[in-house]
Amino acid sequence: NWNDSTRQEERLRFREVDVLLRAAARRMIAARSAILFGIRQHLQQRGFIEVELPVLKRHPDIAPAPHFEVTDSNGQKLYLRTTFPAFERLLVSFDRAYTIGPNFRNGDWSHKNIPEFTMLCLMVRGATYLETHRLVRTMMADVVSAVTGSSVATYRGAQFDLRSWEEVNLDDVLADRYGVHLHELDDDEAMTTFASQQGIALQTLYSGGHMFRAALFDRIFEALIVPAFPGPTFFTEVPWYLAGPAERHPTKAGVNLRGEGYVAGMELTNAKNVLTDYEALRTWHRSIADEKRRAGFSEEHAAVDSDYLRSAGYGLQPGALSSVGIDRLIMLALGVDTITEAVMYPLP
């Protein structure tokens, strides 16, 4: 019996047979196709240009997520991208652009994480991160509603309306609930103490520095803050060291003009004002390289992305980016419990 629960792994490995035998699998693949088509149509109608970006890179991304590596016929090591750091280079050339494609992270497996996943990233020259996120959430609600008949998603027994988002200032939440401000956690010892007081494990590759604080704060955020906001919530003004370079807040110390959008405990979207100051970008990249070396990474893994910096030197224009996890959006839209159910051929 192909529908037997014990054959779930087999159904995922041989999805073409699953589509043949199960109407639910056919509906899922058809809906995924319709959602991807709807996203492209929505953006193209609003003046966006789709740009394809390379999967293989000469330098590893600055993200702390472990990379997959390959070697070409000349023995040169290449890296599969973990995200779209090169996308903001397009601000040299375009007013509105987007890309959809796979990214790869050699990390953990869970109901919401797999090594190969699909993302949308878009950018708008002259916009703020709040504006691009509002554009993205309108797009998600419109597309999901067109495909499923409603912007209300049912996931693991709870309902969420993708048209109804709460915008929450992260510093205000921390201050109200725990009596601490973000700038007070911009210190290794202070963050370690706060995490220990809250019973959060200190599991990170780094022994200090802002990548240490980024990894530890991410644990604090997902353990203490995210569960209190199960509905669609966009957390604004995150710590400067979290998730890559972004424009600093003009008046608040230690804060970036960046946000993260969560639904049902999963990060679904993020957005940021692009950091355009060349010297600040170069300092950021070099500091990441130095921290990787101190953590024991090889020189190859600690290399600065010289292509990115050279492109930025031609003059990035002010603007903002926003990204969406496509597989997670489909999970929510179709009410499937795990990310492996939302893709055609997941690794079992």
Side-chain angles (χ1 to χ4, degrees):
N1 183 0
W2 191 253
N3 288 304
D4 192 291
S5 60
T6 62
R7 304 191 73 170
Q8 173 71 2
E9 181 177 327
E10 193 175 4
R11 290 201 298 265
L12 296 176
R13 291 182 63 188
F14 300 99
R15 181 71 91 179
E16 69 283 358
V17 179
D18 195 32
V19 170
L20 175 66
L21 296 179
R22 286 198 313 131
R26 290 195 295 275
R27 287 194 298 269
M28 189 280 293
I29 296 301
R32 182 184 178 97
S33 174
I35 287 172
L36 285 167
F37 175 80
I39 288 171
R40 287 185 163 97
Q41 186 178 51
H42 185 100
L43 295 176
Q44 295 284 153
Q45 290 173 347
R46 287 158 179 78
F48 284 83
I49 294 173
E50 183 170 10
V51 179
E52 295 173 288
L53 298 180
V55 169
L56 294 174
K57 295 169 54 66
R58 293 197 303 121
H59 303 288
D61 293 334
I62 61 173
H67 289 72
F68 287 103
E69 302 174 6
V70 297
T71 304
D72 68 13
S73 59
N74 296 317
Q76 178 180 341
K77 189 174 290 186
L78 299 170
Y79 304 89
L80 274 64
R81 68 187 182 205
T82 61
T83 182
F84 293 117
F87 194 68
E88 52 210 75
R89 290 169 59 180
L90 298 180
L91 281 168
V92 172
S93 312
F94 296 99
D95 290 328
R96 288 186 164 210
Y98 73 96
T99 191
I100 298 176
N103 291 311
F104 304 84
R105 293 184 186 175
N106 190 3
D108 63 324
W109 290 72
S110 72
H111 75 281
K112 61 181 180 178
N113 294 318
I114 50 176
E116 179 182 357
F117 58 97
T118 302
M119 283 184 66
L120 159 74
C121 186
L122 62 80
M123 70 86 174
V124 181
R125 181 181 290 181
T128 68
Y129 78 106
L130 291 172
E131 291 169 336
T132 59
H133 183 261
R134 289 165 187 162
L135 185 156
V136 158
R137 69 198 199 201
T138 297
M139 176 204 72
M140 291 190 296
D142 286 352
V143 170
V144 169
S145 183
V147 173
T148 68
S150 174
S151 63
V152 176
T154 301
Y155 178 72
R156 296 194 168 191
Q159 288 191 327
F160 310 98
D161 190 345
L162 294 175
R163 291 199 188 281
S164 180
W165 284 74
E166 185 177 4
E167 290 184 1
V168 174
N169 185 282
L170 186 54
D171 188 59
D172 290 345
V173 173
L174 276 172
D176 291 344
R177 291 171 179 262
Y178 298 98
V180 63
H181 287 278
L182 288 173
H183 71 270
E184 296 173 311
L185 296 179
D186 193 5
D187 174 87
D188 294 351
E189 184 176 352
M191 184 173 288
T192 300
T193 300
F194 179 73
S196 297
Q197 290 171 344
Q198 303 302 323
I200 296 173
L202 310 179
Q203 298 174 359
T204 171
L205 292 171
Y206 305 96
S207 57
H210 67 262
M211 290 186 76
F212 166 79
R213 295 197 292 281
L216 186 50
F217 185 85
D218 195 54
R219 289 180 177 274
I220 292 170
F221 177 52
E222 296 217 352
L224 301 182
I225 307 301
V226 171
F229 297 88
T233 307
F234 189 61
F235 298 96
T236 64
E237 299 181 6
V238 302
W240 70 270
Y241 45 76
L242 196 65
E247 190 176 283
R248 294 288 184 95
H249 195 287
T251 60
K252 295 182 180 179
V255 173
N256 268 358
L257 297 176
R258 186 182 186 279
E260 299 190 351
Y262 277 72
V263 181
M266 296 188 296
E267 183 183 357
L268 181 62
T269 70
N270 58 60
K272 71 174 182 178
N273 280 21
V274 173
L275 180 61
T276 58
D277 181 88
Y278 178 74
E279 289 303 322
L281 275 170
R282 188 169 66 169
T283 298
W284 171 273
H285 280 254
R286 288 180 172 175
S287 69
I288 294 292
D290 289 343
E291 291 203 17
K292 284 186 172 182
R293 291 188 187 98
R294 286 196 295 272
F297 284 78
S298 68
E299 282 299 314
E300 292 172 325
H301 280 266
V304 171
D305 189 339
S306 56
D307 293 341
Y308 178 97
L309 290 178
R310 180 170 180 176
S311 180
Y314 290 122
L316 297 180
Q317 300 299 310
L321 305 182
S322 190
S323 299
V324 178
I326 296 295
D327 307 310
R328 291 180 179 179
L329 175 61
I330 291 168
M331 288 170 65
L332 291 167
L334 304 184
V336 297
D337 283 354
T338 63
I339 195 168
T340 51
E341 297 176 73
V343 301
M344 180 68 186
Y345 285 114
L347 286 169

